[in-house]
Amino acid sequence: MQVGDLIPLPQGFRQHWGLTSLYGLLVEKLPRTDYLQFDWKIFVDNRYVTAGRQIEDACFLEDYLTKEKNKNNIPS
């Protein structure tokens, strides 16, 4: 994932931030002062929200599961 990517937002993340959009735009990698690598600044619903690096894993999993459903002709 890199700045400028349009990513699917996991349902739990959308609920946490009260978002209606299914996708967000990665705007910037934000450095952290603790042991974790970085956060993501995401533009969604005409505002900026912050997500931890774990959003990458959640997006990958959601994308993978969607592809598996499509491969097996399972309705969404």
Side-chain angles (χ1 to χ4, degrees):
M1 295 175 77
Q2 59 187 358
V3 172
D5 284 352
L6 188 65
I7 61 167
L9 300 172
Q11 182 178 358
F13 182 80
R14 293 191 324 261
Q15 287 176 339
H16 172 76
W17 287 99
L19 303 171
T20 58
S21 296
L22 299 177
Y23 298 90
L25 181 67
L26 297 178
V27 176
E28 179 181 4
K29 275 187 180 180
L30 302 171
R32 295 182 56 116
T33 57
D34 58 11
Y35 67 94
L36 299 173
Q37 294 177 334
F38 56 85
D39 286 338
W40 281 107
K41 184 177 185 180
I42 302 172
F43 185 72
V44 58
D45 287 351
N46 292 320
R47 63 184 173 133
Y48 294 100
V49 296
T50 303
R53 186 179 178 281
Q54 297 83 355
I55 194 82
E56 295 179 4
D57 296 332
C59 291
F60 173 79
L61 180 60
E62 188 168 313
D63 186 48
Y64 173 78
L65 292 174
T66 301
K67 285 180 182 174
E68 284 299 306
K69 283 181 184 178
N70 291 342
K71 181 177 84 175
N72 295 313
N73 295 320
I74 299 172
S76 299

